[in-house]
Amino acid sequence: MTYPLEFRRVSREFQVRKGLLDLRGMTLRAVDDVSLHVEKGETLGLVGESGCGKSTLARMAVGLLAPSAGEVLIDAAPLASLMSRERARRIQMVFQDPFSSLNPRLSVGTSVAEPLRMTRPELSSADLRERVLAMLEKVELRPEQADLFPHEFSGGQRQRVAVARALVADPSLVVCDEPVSALDASVQAQVLNLLKDMQDERGLSYLFISHDLSVVGFMSRQIAVMYLGHIVELASRDELFSHPAHPYSRALLAAAPGKGGTPLAGEMPSPFVPPRGCAFHPRCPIARELCREKSPEEQASGGHIVRCHFPL
Ligand code: SF4
């Protein structure tokens, strides 16, 4: 099968070279043996707490980081084999902070034009300008705003500019890493609806990453739950929301706004010294002896892929 994006047994380690003395020389495994794919025209949601490895996965998806092991494939071609122009033509990214993709010293029109300049060098300046203005209009900004600078926009408008920049070169896949986390709730809804409209219009595929399960649920038909570098559950949104199979997924759902549940107790263990056995066992309400001894393998359970000795 060919997918717009596929992770094949991908891992990523970091060696600590600077900083705290007691961490120096240690290895951090941020992503551990992850296999996932995004279907054409669909959204794969990826959810987990801060520090679980989801942004490292996002960066590997667009080639900003290379895997330590495994392979990232774009339409069945190894990402590592694609030239930067080809990568930019096929994949773009929307970051949490639009300033990551918008140069504060460039007008937004110039920033939005950058991916087009790279992927379509044959376009004249007039054609570039025409396409940029059309794209700004698509994200509900006015043509004259092309000549303004990022600091002259509100947070929501800046994220619209970042979406325009990501979509202007007509990629087939967009990686959205916490794209609405920094926005007010009302503005979040506008940006999410804009992303959905663009997907419907262009048949885009998204890898959509958030710590917020309700946001991921709004955007995605398929959801992967990540904990300390592992995918611990993969299921359709409906299955995950109605019958979470992993205790961590159940805890995230219970803690979601409006559910009235209590926040998940405890903190994610340090990735430098992951606990023996199942990494979730120190926080798991149903942990047993086996969980403290042996790390669980992935298993299929009622339409879910789940990494737990005792799925719910
Ligand atoms: Fe809980 Fe054990 Fe499952 Fe880990 S393997 S999530 S500790 S039940």
Side-chain angles (χ1 to χ4, degrees), residues 246-248 278-282 284-288 290-292 294 296 307-311:
H246 195 283
Y248 179 57
C278 171
F280 189 59
H281 85 70
C284 181
I286 61 165
R288 301 186 210 171
L290 176 64
C291 309
R292 289 179 259 279
K294 188 169 180 279
R307 199 181 186 96
C308 174
H309 293 306
F310 308 106

Side-chain angles (χ1 to χ4, degrees), residues 43 192 195-196 199 206 208 215-221:
T43 301
L192 293 176
L195 287 168
K196 274 199 153 186
Q199 182 174 43
Y206 289 142
F208 188 94
V215 168
V216 167
F218 177 74
M219 289 300 293
S220 323
R221 285 241 294 257

Side-chain angles (χ1 to χ4, degrees), residues 184-243:
D184 295 341
S186 62
V187 184
Q188 279 191 5
Q190 291 169 16
V191 173
L192 293 176
N193 283 321
L194 169 66
L195 287 168
K196 274 199 153 186
D197 290 347
M198 291 288 127
Q199 182 174 43
D200 292 344
E201 191 182 304
R202 297 166 173 236
L204 287 164
S205 310
Y206 289 142
L207 173 62
F208 188 94
I209 295 169
S210 176
H211 67 282
D212 184 335
L213 192 51
S214 57
V215 168
V216 167
F218 177 74
M219 289 300 293
S220 323
R221 285 241 294 257
Q222 194 79 3
I223 298 178
V225 181
M226 196 166 188
Y227 190 79
L228 211 67
H230 289 288
I231 301 301
V232 295
E233 184 164 3
L234 174 67
S236 70
R237 172 190 49 206
D238 294 346
E239 268 296 320
L240 187 82
F241 276 54
S242 56
H243 305 103

Side-chain angles (χ1 to χ4, degrees), residues 7 18 27-28 47 54 63 74-75 84-85 87 117 129-130 134 140 159 170 201 207 216-217 219 221 225 289:
F7 298 101
K18 300 189 250 181
T27 300
L28 162 75
V47 68
K54 53 195 191 311
I74 300 294
D75 296 324
S84 50
R85 181 181 293 174
R87 283 186 193 180
R117 254 194 220 101
R129 176 89 181 165
E130 192 180 320
E140 294 170 19
Q159 203 53 302
D170 216 10
E201 191 182 304
L207 173 62
V216 167
M219 289 300 293
R221 285 241 294 257
V225 181
E289 200 47 43

